[in-house]
Amino acid sequence: MTKVETLTLTSLWTLATSPNSLYLLGYAWLFGMSLWVTFFGGVIAFRTLPRQMFGNLQHKTFPIYFVISMVLSSALLTLWTLSHPNVVAHITRPYVADVAQAYALATVLLGQGFNYFVIGPLTSKQVI
């Protein structure tokens, strides 16, 4: 039978600051933010706002979105690599599950960086 434990502030703090909890929180934040921006926030704004106002909104919100995404992706990739030593040992073998997860996080990071540093400035020049 499992041992019943009482939650204390110390045990809650330990739980909240563990690498696994931080990874899960960061992953949920990135996933939820991506879903919201892609499928809800952008669509609602596009249907509701006049074209010029929608462009101004996107011009102001997308840089913040991409920076947060890059920070979260970097943190997740770092936490994943530190907590899974197999990633470094098998970095050239993407069929290893731990390495595949690291590749997925790196792909997200590279995609967000490309959007922020290349696509964003190009589209801003076209709109303005």
Side-chain angles (χ1 to χ4, degrees):
M1 179 165 232
T2 60
K3 180 182 169 188
V4 177
E5 292 186 31
T6 305
L7 287 177
T8 63
L9 288 177
T10 305
S11 64
L12 284 173
W13 179 255
T14 303
L15 179 64
T17 58
S18 74
N20 290 341
S21 296
L22 293 174
Y23 183 85
L24 183 60
L25 180 64
Y27 194 89
W29 184 0
L30 180 61
F31 183 69
M33 183 177 65
S34 298
L35 282 179
W36 175 259
V37 168
T38 304
F39 297 110
F40 299 103
V43 174
I44 292 168
F46 179 75
R47 291 183 178 173
T48 316
L49 297 173
R51 185 170 183 249
Q52 188 65 31
M53 290 178 79
F54 174 73
N56 289 337
L57 176 69
Q58 297 295 77
H59 181 71
K60 295 292 184 187
T61 58
F62 267 31
I64 297 166
Y65 164 71
F66 287 125
V67 167
I68 292 172
S69 295
M70 288 186 297
V71 168
L72 286 171
S73 300
S74 300
L76 290 172
L77 183 58
T78 301
L79 280 170
W80 185 261
T81 305
L82 291 175
S83 63
H84 295 83
N86 291 344
V87 171
V88 177
H90 303 289
I91 195 70
T92 59
R93 297 178 13 196
Y95 53 85
V96 175
D98 291 345
V99 177
Q101 178 70 16
Y103 276 20
L105 291 169
T107 302
V108 169
L109 177 60
L110 290 173
Q112 296 292 5
F114 184 73
N115 273 316
Y116 182 74
F117 293 110
V118 178
I119 302 296
L122 288 175
T123 56
S124 293
K125 287 178 187 175
Q126 295 297 321
V127 173
I128 294 177

